[in-house]
Amino acid sequence: MAKKSGSPTVAAESEGKPLDKKSARTRVRILDAAAQVLSAKGYAGMRLSDVAEVAELQAPAIYYYFPSRDDLIEEVMWVGLADMREFLTKALEVAPADAGAMERILIAVETHLRHELEISDYTTAAIRNAGQLPDNIRDRHDAEEKKYGALWRDLFKAAAETGELREDLDPYLAQMLVMGTINWTAEWWQPNRATIDRVVANAQSYVRAALSPAS
């Protein structure tokens, strides 16, 4: 099932090289194709010839926009995280005013899963390949990952402060365990096994039961 792309605005940006509309569209097409291939084949398995085939371009054309394979991968990984952070920020901004800390965590669980599994190849690629990047292209990815993690850290801190998190749980460890669980979903989920809605509902029930104090 083909997913939607990441943010076209983010993906169309080019460092130090102004692009006209046609070139910007081509750049996005290359990034979309690279995200699709990277999410399916991983860092080691992604070939520029595969990207060119999906983008319906000749492989040498990619080098006009990206100096190397790693530069293209670095951009896909960054867009995936930046887009997901923007998506979660907006979801939390429109949450009901009376939503408690635990409800906001569950909103984050749903937002993350839908973006990872249903909406963006960029995000799937960023999650599945985070541990495979060489050091020379990790800087932007790691910086964006910290920003995204900070959103979750605030959610768990608020739950601890309002008594909605079990007292025996360390907020940071609980956060990392939850994020690790939902990140891993990209490795095993298949649409013929369960719908996105069912995965989200089960994940939210699981997280609520694991984190909430006994009533």
Side-chain angles (χ1 to χ4, degrees):
M1 178 178 64
K3 302 176 189 174
K4 297 179 182 178
S5 312
S7 166
T9 301
V10 171
E13 294 174 356
S14 177
E15 295 183 5
K17 183 185 291 185
L19 299 176
D20 58 29
K21 290 183 178 180
K22 182 179 179 180
S23 294
R25 287 195 299 269
T26 302
R27 187 174 193 273
V28 171
R29 199 160 87 236
I30 293 169
L31 282 166
D32 287 351
Q36 183 179 331
V37 174
L38 186 61
S39 67
K41 297 190 175 183
Y43 176 82
M46 193 189 99
R47 300 183 304 174
L48 289 183
S49 58
D50 294 331
V51 175
E53 181 178 352
V54 174
E56 299 180 345
L57 295 168
Q58 295 297 315
I62 294 174
Y63 289 104
Y64 174 78
Y65 300 92
F66 301 96
S68 70
R69 171 182 176 273
D70 274 359
D71 285 302
L72 175 57
I73 290 172
E74 190 263 359
E75 185 77 3
V76 169
M77 297 285 286
W78 175 76
V79 170
L81 290 178
D83 196 50
M84 186 163 63
R85 179 167 64 89
E86 180 181 355
F87 200 72
L88 178 54
T89 299
K90 290 180 178 177
L92 294 172
E93 285 175 351
V94 300
D98 60 350
M102 184 57 62
E103 291 302 321
R104 291 174 65 81
I105 289 175
L106 299 182
I107 289 170
V109 168
E110 176 173 9
T111 302
H112 185 104
L113 283 170
R114 290 193 183 280
H115 209 263
E116 170 190 11
L117 302 178
E118 184 178 41
I119 294 175
S120 176
D121 280 320
Y122 288 83
T123 298
T124 308
I127 290 171
R128 298 190 71 182
N129 294 280
Q132 301 180 40
L133 293 184
D135 290 342
N136 63 304
I137 61 170
R138 291 202 64 91
D139 289 350
R140 266 210 309 171
H141 172 275
D142 289 354
E144 191 59 44
E145 190 175 56
K146 288 179 181 178
K147 293 178 183 178
Y148 184 65
L151 293 177
W152 283 83
R153 187 165 59 251
D154 289 344
L155 295 174
F156 276 75
K157 180 181 177 182
E161 290 174 347
T162 59
E164 296 179 67
L165 185 71
R166 282 168 37 193
E167 292 185 359
D168 61 317
L169 294 179
D170 178 288
Y172 173 74
L173 296 180
Q175 170 202 335
M176 296 306 291
L177 287 166
V178 168
M179 293 186 72
T181 298
I182 58 179
N183 278 342
W184 189 250
T185 309
E187 299 294 336
W188 58 260
W189 176 75
Q190 294 293 332
N192 62 337
R193 294 289 303 273
T195 65
I196 293 285
D197 290 344
R198 189 175 181 188
V199 172
V200 168
N202 274 260
Q204 289 179 319
S205 179
Y206 177 86
V207 169
R208 185 193 291 274
L211 301 181
S212 299
S215 57

